[in-house]
């Protein structure tokens, strides 16, 4: 009989950074490897990924990464994980292309990962385990969940889903296969998303953008601008369909994304459209402007920067006028609220017609309460483990299961935190929930991964709040005298007109401290420490500020002249 263990490296009590490990005997299967966006108090950080040290330590046991769909909160950390642990990556063709697209954008080179594409309703042997995949309805084409066959029953991973059975092709939810999986073998453990668990009813049909935009496509007097997240292929498909229905020309602001979408059309019929409806950005001047729909895309901050650049005439050949319509179909996500608000304000400054579609109007395509109940009723799991979401949403998900009277209660529903391990014995009983694995956030700053520590973040926050003070001087310790004048610079600390008195005081303190140190200090570094303490106390006491202070004292006696 199989022994099973579950541990999350990310995705519990947080929004994003999903990464879950299912261990069966000696084999580890890694489900998702995502990122999340940083809060506002982490200046300079692009995004945050899980720590993969546990996987590196056990890399001989890791059999595969399974990426359920093409969103950054599922695969954004893959670029580090797949370099550290070289095992196959199983995902859909669409997700594979999105992984390659973002890799090329980040590193300016082709992705060489060992990606094995699967059909979303196929059965595949990974290692020695049978994985039964089933398609789900989500905001990106070819999303899927799956079931892993074990001696104790099926382990079912829901993926991201909603129960909308109107969708076809690459957005359909194969409920029939989920039912067959549940009939063939009892569901031992169900892992189900929680991001919409606090919302009543079902997600559908309020996830559809068309009802909110169709009137503008029919009646717009000028150009139409539409901003949306580049990974939301469902809404992009709706926009393309509106363009075709109203005989509009499609123009992507980002030519690389345009090429990417044209490429995706080779793998998904939902993204195919007649090339005659496409106009390249450089060719827009030769087309009737009232017939053009400009599509702005990006991920998080990138999208909002593009909106600002378009509205502030930073992109040559494009101008937003009062006759135009600007549709923002990109409600803010955690960590981007301020940037989203600033981008919307910038659009209003152009005097165009603004259509800002909020999250209340446009549902994120995640399971609501009734969606979750449907899956629970169908699978009737022995154990239930809510995943993907902040703690309150994990709890909401658990409460839904407890209220259904299908044998789930506080003894077999598990609310875990990242790093918590749960073990199942060969008889199916739970043996332990202790021995927490050390998990931590890894901060990514440009191409720097994990090198930015808390101390650096603290310094950036201090610099943002109180600025920086830089002091420099050259001395001769041997002769005990100051050789040059002082150089004092302040940035982000005081308004220039108010700073002269402060600079005069700092200069006096700086010079006097250096002179007083000649008798006691034998190295320039010792003088720097003394000056630092004097200046720090003055800034705190007199100005109530704690800026970054940089002191440079150069002993010319020790400088080699080349």
């Amino acid at each position: 009989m199989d022994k099973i263990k579950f541990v999350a490296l990310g995705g519990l009590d947080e929004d994003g950074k999903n990464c879950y490990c299912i261990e069966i005997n000696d084999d580890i299967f890694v489900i998702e490897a995502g990122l999340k966006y940083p809060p506002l108090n982490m200046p300079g950080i692009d995004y945050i990924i899980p720590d993969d040290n546990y996987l590196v330590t056990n890399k001989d046991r890791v059999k595969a990464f399974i990426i359920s769909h093409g969103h950054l909160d599922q695969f954004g950390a893959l670029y580090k994980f797949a370099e550290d642990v070289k095992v196959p990556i199983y995902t859909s063709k669409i997700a594979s292309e999105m992984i390659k697209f973002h890799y090329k954008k980040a590193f300016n080179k082709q992705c060489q990962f060992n990606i094995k594409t699967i059909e979303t309703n196929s059965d595949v042997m990974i290692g020695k385990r049978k994985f039964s995949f089933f398609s789900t309805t989500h905001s990106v084409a070819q999303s899927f969940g799956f079931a892993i066959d074990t001696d104790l029953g099926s382990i079912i991973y829901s993926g991201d889903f909603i129960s909308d059975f109107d969708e076809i092709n690459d957005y359909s939810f194969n409920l029939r296969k989920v039912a067959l999986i549940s009939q063939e073998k009892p569901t031992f453990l169900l892992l189900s998303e929680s991001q919409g668990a606090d919302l009543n009813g079902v997600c559908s049909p309020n996830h559809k953008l068309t009802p909110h935009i169709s009137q503008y496509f029919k009646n717009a007097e000028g150009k139409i601008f539409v901003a949306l997240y580049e990974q939301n292929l469902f809404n992009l498909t709706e926009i393309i369909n509106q363009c075709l229905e109203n005989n509009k020309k499609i123009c992507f602001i980002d030519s690389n994304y345009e090429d990417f979408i044209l490429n995706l059309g080779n793998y998904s019929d939902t993204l195919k459209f007649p090339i005659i409806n496409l106009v390249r950005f450089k060719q827009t001047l030769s087309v009737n402007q009232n017939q053009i729909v400009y599509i702005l895309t990006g991920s998080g901050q990138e999208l909002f920067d593009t909106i600002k650049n378009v509205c502030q005439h930073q992109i040559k050949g494009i101008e937003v006028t009062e006759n135009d319509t600007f549709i923002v179909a990109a409600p803010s996500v955690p960590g981007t609220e301020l940037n989203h608000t600033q981008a919307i304000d910038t659009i209003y400054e152009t005097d165009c017609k603004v259509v800002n579609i909020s999250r209340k109007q446009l549902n994120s395509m995640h399971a609501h309460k009734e969606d979750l109940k449907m899956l629970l009723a169908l699978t009737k799991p022995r154990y239930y483990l809510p995943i993907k979401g902040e703690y309150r949403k994990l709890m909401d998900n658990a409460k839904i299961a407890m209220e259904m009277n299908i044998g789930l209660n506080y003894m077999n529903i598990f609310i875990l935190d990242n790093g918590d391990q749960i073990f199942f014995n060969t008889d199916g009983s739970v043996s332990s929930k202790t021995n927490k694995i050390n998990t931590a956030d890894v901060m990514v700053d440009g191409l720097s991964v994990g090198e930015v520590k808390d101390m650096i973040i603290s310094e950036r926050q201090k610099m943002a709040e109180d600025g920086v003070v830089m002091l420099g001087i050259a001395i001769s310790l041997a002769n005990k005298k100051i050789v040059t004048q002082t150089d004092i610079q302040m940035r982000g600390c005081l308004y220039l007109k108010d700073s002269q008195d402060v600079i005069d005081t700092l200069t006096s303190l700086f010079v006097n401290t250096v002179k007083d140190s000649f008798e006691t200090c034998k190295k320039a570094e010792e003088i720097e420490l003394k000056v630092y303490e004097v200046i720090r106390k003055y800034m705190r006491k007199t100005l109530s500020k704690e800026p970054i202070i940089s002191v440079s004292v150069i002993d010319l006696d020790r400088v080699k002249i080349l």
Side-chain angles (χ1 to χ4, degrees):
M1 297 293 284
D2 294 323
K3 292 184 68 174
I4 298 170
K5 185 177 91 171
F6 172 88
V7 63
L9 303 183
L12 300 183
D13 193 19
E14 61 185 343
D15 191 349
K17 198 163 68 71
N18 299 299
C19 186
Y20 312 101
C21 299
I22 297 174
E23 303 187 24
I24 306 174
N25 301 325
D26 292 327
D27 296 340
I28 300 175
F29 302 97
V30 185
I31 318 303
E32 323 291 19
L35 60 76
K36 71 176 181 180
Y37 293 106
L40 293 176
N41 62 356
M42 289 188 175
I45 300 302
D46 295 323
Y47 50 88
I48 300 169
I49 63 175
D51 187 339
D52 68 347
N53 184 62
Y54 177 74
L55 300 180
V56 174
T57 303
N58 296 277
K59 61 183 179 181
D60 292 339
R61 299 198 293 127
V62 177
K63 299 303 175 185
F65 294 103
I66 298 96
I67 307 299
S68 66
H69 60 276
H71 280 166
L72 285 169
D73 59 346
Q74 317 300 316
F75 71 78
L78 200 57
Y79 310 128
K80 182 176 190 302
F81 281 36
E83 291 288 351
D84 294 342
V85 182
K86 299 185 184 302
V87 295
I89 300 164
Y90 289 83
T91 192
S92 68
K93 186 61 182 177
I94 291 291
S96 170
E97 293 302 312
M98 297 194 83
I99 290 169
K100 295 173 184 176
F101 172 72
H102 280 275
Y103 187 92
K104 177 73 179 296
K105 188 161 69 169
F107 302 104
N108 197 30
K109 61 181 180 180
Q110 298 298 324
C111 176
Q112 301 296 326
F113 295 152
N114 180 14
I115 300 177
K116 297 184 179 296
T117 58
I118 55 99
E119 296 296 326
T120 52
N121 289 296
S122 62
D123 294 342
V124 178
M125 294 298 294
I126 302 179
K128 298 178 181 179
R129 292 288 155 184
K130 175 186 174 184
F131 280 67
S132 296
F133 295 94
F134 53 88
S135 60
T136 63
T137 302
H138 189 46
S139 59
V140 64
Q142 299 180 3
S143 300
F144 62 75
F146 58 81
I148 309 176
D149 185 35
T150 77
D151 295 338
L152 297 173
S154 297
I155 299 175
I156 297 181
Y157 177 81
S158 73
D160 289 358
F161 75 99
I162 64 171
S163 52
D164 182 359
F165 307 110
D166 290 337
E167 303 304 333
I168 57 175
N169 300 326
D170 290 330
Y171 292 100
S172 64
F173 186 9
N174 193 345
L175 194 63
R176 181 176 179 273
K177 184 161 186 182
V178 178
L180 288 174
I181 291 169
S182 302
Q183 290 172 4
E184 290 174 359
K185 185 172 282 191
T187 303
F188 178 71
L189 174 64
L190 173 61
L191 310 171
S192 186
E193 67 149 323
S194 307
Q195 289 185 333
D198 58 333
L199 300 173
N200 292 322
V202 295
C203 177
S204 180
N206 293 329
H207 65 289
K208 295 181 179 179
L209 180 61
T210 301
H212 302 288
I213 65 173
S214 59
Q215 59 178 312
Y216 303 109
F217 276 76
K218 291 177 182 178
N219 305 320
E221 296 179 359
K223 303 184 293 295
I224 298 177
F225 296 83
V226 184
L228 77 162
Y229 295 119
E230 66 184 13
Q231 299 164 46
N232 195 329
L233 300 184
F234 187 93
N235 288 160
L236 177 62
T237 300
E238 292 183 277
I239 293 167
I240 291 173
N241 290 338
Q242 283 298 305
C243 291
L244 299 181
E245 289 177 17
N246 294 278
N247 196 28
K248 299 284 188 180
K249 298 292 185 181
I250 302 167
C251 178
F252 293 94
I253 298 292
D254 184 347
S255 60
N256 291 326
Y257 187 72
E258 175 186 298
D259 294 337
F260 169 64
I261 292 300
L262 293 175
N263 178 53
L264 287 188
N266 297 321
Y267 310 110
S268 175
D269 290 339
T270 59
L271 290 168
K272 284 183 178 178
F273 59 91
I275 200 69
I276 194 174
N277 285 87
L278 177 70
V279 56
R280 299 280 182 175
F281 182 67
K282 294 181 179 179
Q283 300 170 341
T284 54
L285 293 179
S286 62
V287 179
N288 184 346
Q289 293 293 293
N290 294 348
Q291 291 300 110
I292 299 178
V293 175
Y294 290 95
I295 298 178
L296 291 69
T297 57
S299 299
Q301 176 63 36
E302 180 186 20
L303 172 60
F304 303 130
D305 286 343
T306 301
I307 293 174
K308 293 177 187 177
N309 289 338
V310 168
C311 294
Q312 294 173 344
H313 314 296
Q314 299 298 313
I315 300 179
K316 189 176 180 180
I318 187 170
E319 181 179 0
V320 184
T321 68
E322 61 182 12
N323 293 325
D324 297 335
T325 302
F326 207 120
I327 301 170
V328 181
S332 64
V333 296
T336 67
E337 294 88 350
L338 179 60
N339 297 319
H340 177 271
T341 301
Q342 291 173 343
I344 298 298
D345 284 346
T346 306
I347 301 172
Y348 273 103
E349 291 173 2
T350 66
D351 291 330
C352 70
K353 182 176 180 59
V354 182
V355 183
N356 181 24
I357 301 173
S358 69
R359 186 56 73 199
K360 289 183 179 180
Q361 297 171 285
L362 185 67
N363 283 341
S364 178
M365 292 177 69
H366 292 282
H368 290 197
K369 288 183 180 180
E370 297 303 321
D371 299 314
L372 291 168
K373 285 182 180 180
M374 178 203 64
L375 186 63
L376 282 160
L378 193 62
T379 57
K380 294 183 174 61
R382 178 173 175 180
Y383 296 104
Y384 187 47
L385 208 167
I387 56 172
K388 290 188 179 180
E390 299 162 343
Y391 190 83
R392 62 185 175 85
K393 294 188 177 183
L394 300 179
M395 287 297 296
D396 286 333
N397 197 346
K399 289 175 183 177
I400 292 169
M402 291 182 67
E403 292 170 356
M404 289 187 63
N405 297 317
I406 57 173
L408 294 173
N409 52 57
Y410 69 93
M411 295 295 290
N412 56 3
I413 300 176
F414 307 110
I415 303 295
L416 305 181
D417 199 357
N418 294 332
D420 288 341
Q421 299 183 82
I422 183 164
F423 300 84
F424 299 97
N425 297 317
T426 53
D427 62 356
S429 62
V430 180
S431 63
S432 175
K433 290 189 290 185
T434 59
N435 303 321
K436 187 168 184 173
I437 290 174
N438 183 30
T439 59
D441 287 344
V442 175
M443 291 172 280
V444 179
D445 182 356
L447 296 179
S448 171
V449 180
E451 296 177 8
V452 180
K453 306 301 181 183
D454 290 341
M455 183 182 72
I456 295 176
I457 296 297
S458 178
E459 287 182 348
R460 289 179 179 177
Q461 290 171 341
K462 188 181 292 186
M463 190 179 301
E465 293 171 2
D466 292 335
V468 59
V469 177
M470 297 165 285
L471 308 96
I473 199 169
I475 64 171
S476 171
L477 264 178
N479 297 316
K480 293 184 174 56
K481 69 177 184 179
I482 296 173
V483 178
T484 66
Q485 292 183 340
T486 59
D487 182 17
I488 299 178
Q489 301 285 334
M490 291 194 295
R491 296 291 183 272
C493 188
L494 287 175
Y495 184 52
L496 185 61
K497 290 183 179 180
D498 301 331
S499 62
Q500 191 56 52
D501 290 343
V502 175
I503 290 178
D504 291 342
T505 303
L506 289 176
T507 301
S508 177
L509 289 171
F510 189 13
V511 171
N512 291 337
T513 303
V514 171
K515 288 180 178 178
D516 293 343
S517 301
F518 283 148
E519 298 298 330
T520 57
C521 297
K522 297 181 179 179
K523 294 181 179 179
E525 291 81 0
E526 296 175 8
I527 299 176
E528 289 176 348
L529 289 174
K530 284 194 172 186
V531 172
Y532 173 85
E533 284 300 321
V534 170
I535 301 301
R536 183 182 66 84
K537 289 178 181 178
Y538 167 77
M539 297 296 291
R540 179 192 288 178
K541 183 178 180 180
T542 306
L543 303 177
S544 299
K545 289 182 176 290
E546 293 192 41
I548 297 292
I549 299 172
S550 175
V551 183
S552 177
V553 177
I554 301 174
D555 183 5
L556 295 181
D557 299 328
R558 302 180 65 182
V559 175
K560 293 182 179 180
I561 301 176
L562 299 178

